[in-house]
Amino acid sequence: MLLRSLVYGLLIILLSGCLQTTVERPADDQRPLADTNPWQARGKMLVSTENERQTLRFIWSHLSEQQDRVELSDSLGLRSIILVRDSDEYYQENTQGQRILLSANTLEEPLANVLSSLPNDIARLMTGAKSADNRVASEVVRWSTSAQFATPEVLRVRFGDYGIKIMINQWDIGSSE
């Protein structure tokens, strides 16, 4: 009985310690990644609403301040879509490289609603910067240890009815494709 109480006590202490972790800030000699730098990030994201959750894999290529190319696929890689943002307009790119201007009714749910309410500066959020839109809340949960730039490894973004948890497992800075 005493042993069981001791084990439970240790588990509670360990779990409470895990709940109170602090977000490690990047070192002072690491500079933030600017919008002018091209970069590519690979990872997973969990898009959630009150009633639904969808896990997606992504390859996000930030080409310039005005252009992004995002390859999204389901967790098994069976379905995929390539989205291109060019000056705040979104296009779907087909396998031949042709772009079709997107409207909310051309995509399946939940992607259609997410895309229609997506913050204009979502690429800035990917780098750990704050949004210019005060209706968008973002938080870097964990920073990666890059030699040159401060880049997020895990971040959370909330806007409208949506929450996105983004886990980036690879950064290529200076690379756009």
Side-chain angles (χ1 to χ4, degrees), residues 14-28:
L14 288 174
L15 289 175
S16 65
C18 292
L19 292 174
Q20 297 176 5
T21 58
T22 57
V23 176
E24 295 176 19
R25 297 290 175 200
D28 290 337

Side-chain angles (χ1 to χ4, degrees), residues 43-166:
K44 293 181 182 180
M45 65 176 69
L46 173 66
V47 180
S48 58
T49 64
E50 191 174 297
N51 302 324
E52 190 173 358
R53 290 178 177 232
Q54 174 81 34
T55 301
L56 302 169
R57 295 177 189 261
F58 69 88
I59 300 173
W60 192 303
S61 301
H62 180 69
L63 308 169
S64 70
E65 291 179 65
Q66 298 298 317
Q67 285 190 315
D68 290 288
R69 183 175 191 270
V70 183
E71 298 175 44
L72 296 171
S73 63
D74 61 6
S75 57
L76 298 175
L78 300 174
R79 297 180 351 187
S80 65
I81 186 171
I82 298 174
L83 301 175
V84 176
R85 182 187 68 88
D86 192 355
S87 302
D88 296 332
E89 291 189 320
Y90 287 90
Y91 300 87
Q92 182 177 354
E93 188 175 277
N94 63 19
T95 55
Q96 290 81 31
Q98 298 169 328
R99 294 180 180 176
I100 302 161
L101 184 62
L102 285 179
S103 61
N105 58 2
T106 59
L107 292 173
E108 294 179 24
E109 292 301 330
L111 197 53
N113 280 336
V114 173
L115 189 63
S116 65
S117 58
L118 203 60
N120 290 337
D121 56 356
I122 187 71
R124 262 184 86 209
L125 297 175
M126 291 284 291
T127 65
K130 297 294 181 191
S131 177
D133 187 344
N134 61 2
R135 295 172 295 179
V136 178
S138 65
E139 170 193 20
V140 176
V141 177
R142 186 170 55 235
W143 292 91
S144 65
T145 54
S146 167
Q148 191 176 18
F149 293 99
T151 54
E153 189 173 306
V154 178
L155 64 134
R156 289 188 186 111
V157 180
R158 291 218 45 89
F159 56 94
D161 295 334
Y162 296 97
I164 301 177
K165 182 176 182 181
I166 302 170

